[in-house]
Structures are given as C-alpha cells and as structure tokens.
Amino acid sequence: MGVVSSNILDMLSALQGVLLRYGPEAAQIAFCSPASQQSNGNIIWSQKALIMIGGLTDGLLATQYASTITTKANAQGWDAFQILIRSSYTGYGISSLARDSQDIDLLIAALKKQTPSIRVVVIGHSTGCQDAVWHSLKGEERDTVVGVVLQAPVSDREYLESTGDITELKALSKELVESGRGDHIMPRNAMFNIPLTAYRYHSFSSRLGDDDMFSSDLTDEEMKSRLGGLTKPCLIAFSMADEYVPKHVDKQKLCQRLKSMLSNSTLIQIENADHSLTSQEATAEFTEATLAFLSTI
C-alpha cells in the first residue's frame, strides 16, 4: 500500500461535508460544508448560508480559495455550499442566466424547509457574478439573499472580442435568435469547442445581451440598467492582473464605475491577482475581505 501524502490528506480534509440533491435533475447537486454537526454526523443547520457559484466550465472547488473561505466561514457559523447547476462544467452552452437562477432558487427553497429564517449570501466567481446579480434582481427566492460577493466581475463580450474577429459568429447568432431559432447549435469553434446555442452565444457576445453586465464600454445609463437595482450589501473583488480583461480596458476606472452603480457596495482591488486568485497572497486578501463582509451581515 502506498503512503498518502500530506497534501492529499489536506485536500481530503477540505472536502469533508455532505453531498445533497436539491432538485430533480442529475446536475442539481450541492456540496455542503456545515458549520456544526452532531456526534452522529447529522447536520445542525445554521441560520446563515454561503452559496458559492462558479464561472464557465467550473464545478466543485472551482477556485483555490473555495476551501479556505469555507473553513473560515464555518468558524463564523456559516454553512458553506458549493452549488452545481445545470450550466456547470460544459452545460453553460445550452443554458442561461434565467435557468441558473431557477437552480439557485431550488437550493434556497430546500434550505428554507430546514431553516425557515435562513439568511443567504451568494459568492459569484467570474460568470457566476452575472448569476448572482440576475438572481438578486429576478430570482423567486431573492428576498432570502441578504448579501452578494462579486469576485472577478468581468465582461465575456470584451474577452471574446479580444480573441479575434467574431463578426460572422455574432451575425449568425443574431440571425438565428431573431428568426426564433435561438436553441440551434453554433459552429463548434464558436466558444471553447462545446455545444453552444445561438441564444447563449448572442448573450455572451452582443452589446446588452443578457450576460453583458460589466463591459467597460457600456454607458452609465446602460450599466445602471443592469446593476442599479442591486441594492443589497455587495462586496466587489476585482483582480488588477485579470487575464480575461483586455489590455485596453482601464481597470481602475471600471472598478470605480462598478462601485458607483452598486449603491451599497464595498470595493477591493487585489493587486497582481489573476482571475481566479491563484496566489496565496490574493486568496488571503480576498478571504479576509469576505469574512469582514460576512461579519456585517
């Protein structure tokens, strides 16, 4: 029998918790790391829940900070949930923000059955930020959400535009959507070689598409129409070396605009941090800011 390294043990320790199904479909699963359990392993459900939503292609442990924040939030009495939704991994190509919001609603509704007075904070990473905003504005269970964390709120449209000429793909998706064929699949090379509907490509790539919330070229009126309704306490965490933000974007200016649009927000700008906060220093700074934010909820 081989020897299990300490690193492996650390990973196994970080994964301790309960896997639960919150909806009828196979993808509707969440991993719960409870703040407290009885000696027999049964969960003592907290009145505070933290729900982490990943971005495109993400699933469980989408970021390196997920396990760190989970452990420290548990110590403050928060149950921590990593949610898998129908758009997790490669499912986003045939999904939508509205569909993601339905999944978040299902999880919150399930938690309310256990704890009717539960309060929820949602952490969105990358495109998970769009999910967090959409749900907070339109979700059926939005009133249960008392705070939102937006980590790496960046523009999918500006990133796609920076990868090359997408004019023909945008035109094709627009034509299909406008002719009532938004559920048709785009050419394989449209985005990351996954099945992708015309609607979702149009949502990602078009000005004021459903996913277009954080683009630097939006006017103040356009950005306010997307974000201004979010008045819950909000923490914005922007990586100042985010590789998915095109070089022409003034990150400092964009950060200040986002903060001004979210009336009840706190902004942290994490220097030298990449999109997923992979460095220990970035993880530590974001974790500290998130715990401070949670303590105010």
Side-chain angles (χ1 to χ4, degrees), residues 45-94:
W45 294 99
S46 173
Q47 294 188 346
K48 302 184 294 184
L50 187 64
I51 298 177
M52 291 177 274
I53 308 170
L56 305 185
T57 75
D58 287 335
L60 296 177
L61 290 177
T63 59
Q64 293 187 20
Y65 64 73
S67 58
T68 303
I69 284 184
T70 292
T71 301
K72 293 185 178 295
N74 284 167
Q76 289 190 358
W78 292 81
D79 291 339
F81 295 82
Q82 297 178 57
I83 184 173
L84 289 182
I85 51 184
R86 287 170 289 177
S87 65
S88 295
Y89 302 112
T90 59
Y92 65 87
I94 55 174

Side-chain angles (χ1 to χ4, degrees), residues 120-124 128-139 142-143 145-151 153 213-214 223-236 257-266 293:
V120 172
V121 169
V122 173
I123 297 182
C129 292
Q130 283 103 289
D131 282 330
V133 171
W134 183 284
H135 181 268
S136 291
L137 297 177
K138 302 181 181 183
R142 61 186 179 275
D143 291 342
V145 177
V146 295
V148 174
V149 179
L150 305 178
Q151 189 271 307
M213 298 182 184
F214 310 118
M223 191 174 283
K224 188 174 183 179
S225 72
R226 297 307 173 99
L227 304 176
L230 179 51
T231 57
K232 304 175 192 291
C234 180
L235 172 64
I236 307 166
R257 291 187 69 208
L258 292 175
K259 187 178 188 306
S260 70
M261 297 298 161
L262 296 163
S263 60
N264 195 9
S265 64
T266 301
F293 176 74

Side-chain angles (χ1 to χ4, degrees), residues 35-283:
S36 182
Q37 288 181 272
Q38 296 175 339
S39 58
N40 62 4
N42 290 339
I43 295 174
I44 303 172
W45 294 99
S46 173
Q47 294 188 346
K48 302 184 294 184
L50 187 64
I51 298 177
M52 291 177 274
I53 308 170
L56 305 185
T57 75
D58 287 335
L60 296 177
L61 290 177
T63 59
Q64 293 187 20
Y65 64 73
S67 58
T68 303
I69 284 184
T70 292
T71 301
K72 293 185 178 295
N74 284 167
Q76 289 190 358
W78 292 81
D79 291 339
F81 295 82
Q82 297 178 57
I83 184 173
L84 289 182
I85 51 184
R86 287 170 289 177
S87 65
S88 295
Y89 302 112
T90 59
Y92 65 87
I94 55 174
S95 196
S96 65
L97 296 180
R99 200 166 180 243
D100 293 349
S101 184
Q102 293 170 0
D103 289 349
I104 298 167
D105 279 334
L106 284 174
L107 175 58
I108 294 176
L111 297 180
K112 287 172 67 176
K113 288 181 179 179
Q114 296 289 335
T115 312
S117 59
I118 197 167
R119 294 176 295 148
V120 172
V121 169
V122 173
I123 297 182
H125 161 65
S126 192
T127 305
C129 292
Q130 283 103 289
D131 282 330
V133 171
W134 183 284
H135 181 268
S136 291
L137 297 177
K138 302 181 181 183
E140 291 185 4
E141 299 289 350
R142 61 186 179 275
D143 291 342
T144 306
V145 177
V146 295
V148 174
V149 179
L150 305 178
Q151 189 271 307
V154 302
S155 169
D156 290 302
R157 173 168 63 83
E158 288 185 319
Y159 171 73
L160 285 173
E161 290 172 345
S162 74
T163 62
D165 187 358
I166 60 171
T167 305
E168 291 186 5
L169 290 168
K170 287 176 67 174
L172 174 60
S173 68
K174 183 174 185 290
E175 176 189 349
L176 290 169
V177 169
E178 291 182 348
S179 64
R181 295 177 291 166
D183 59 349
H184 282 218
I185 299 298
M186 292 287 288
R188 189 175 181 85
N189 65 342
M191 192 174 178
F192 305 147
N193 291 316
I194 62 124
L196 185 74
T197 64
Y199 159 76
R200 197 69 202 265
Y201 187 81
H202 186 265
S203 179
F204 285 137
S205 65
S206 298
R207 185 184 183 86
L208 297 178
D210 285 343
D211 279 276
D212 195 25
M213 298 182 184
F214 310 118
S215 296
S216 65
D217 62 354
L218 294 179
T219 67
D220 285 348
E221 291 74 18
E222 289 169 339
M223 191 174 283
K224 188 174 183 179
S225 72
R226 297 307 173 99
L227 304 176
L230 179 51
T231 57
K232 304 175 192 291
C234 180
L235 172 64
I236 307 166
F238 204 95
S239 297
M240 301 308 285
D242 194 314
E243 65 271 27
Y244 290 103
V245 179
K247 293 181 179 180
H248 72 268
V249 174
D250 185 332
K251 298 184 183 70
Q252 179 69 37
K253 182 178 179 180
L254 178 59
C255 285
Q256 295 305 318
R257 291 187 69 208
L258 292 175
K259 187 178 188 306
S260 70
M261 297 298 161
L262 296 163
S263 60
N264 195 9
S265 64
T266 301
L267 169 69
I268 59 165
Q269 297 172 210
I270 308 178
E271 299 297 332
N272 303 314
D274 63 11
H275 188 65
S276 299
L277 306 180
T278 56
S279 73
Q280 291 183 351
E281 294 79 11
T283 290

Side-chain angles (χ1 to χ4, degrees), residues 10-18 31-33 60-61 67 82:
D10 289 343
M11 290 175 63
L12 290 173
S13 177
L15 287 169
Q16 289 182 355
V18 178
F31 185 82
C32 172
S33 299
L60 296 177
L61 290 177
S67 58
Q82 297 178 57

